[in-house]
Amino acid sequence: MPWFWTVQHGVRLQTAGVRDAADDVIVRGEPAGGRFSVVYLRDGRLAAVDTVAGLTDFRPARKLIGQGARLDPTLAADPGIPLTDTVLNHPTDADLAAARI
């Protein structure tokens, strides 16, 4: 899975996965506060993440993207809930194969 990080003007920006214009976009946190994440769901699965000063979301998101994890969008929108606690179910081998297509 592709991932990238940079520091711009003292702020760490990180991204993982590949997003698509048709993905559902969920913002975790307040961008005006300077610390937030944007998660991208494709057919309910975490497809990509962008974080600004959000290492607590970035690390688990990389694993969840690789697992083809399905997230509850309502829970995923709450930055007070760890991203790993928003997983609906653990993917089966068939789910993982479908995610690779």
Side-chain angles (χ1 to χ4, degrees), residues 27-99:
V27 178
R28 291 173 52 87
E30 293 295 326
R35 176 178 228 144
F36 66 98
S37 300
V38 181
V39 296
Y40 303 88
L41 300 182
R42 186 172 309 136
D43 298 324
R45 291 185 178 91
L46 183 58
V49 65
D50 294 323
T51 64
V52 175
L55 190 58
T56 56
D57 278 346
F58 185 73
R59 285 182 178 165
R62 283 185 61 200
K63 291 179 184 177
L64 294 172
I65 293 166
Q67 294 170 354
R70 293 181 183 275
L71 303 186
D72 179 311
T74 302
L75 295 177
D78 185 342
I81 299 174
L83 204 54
T84 53
D85 290 349
T86 70
V87 176
L88 289 173
N89 60 6
H90 295 285
T92 65
D93 290 338
D95 288 335
L96 293 173

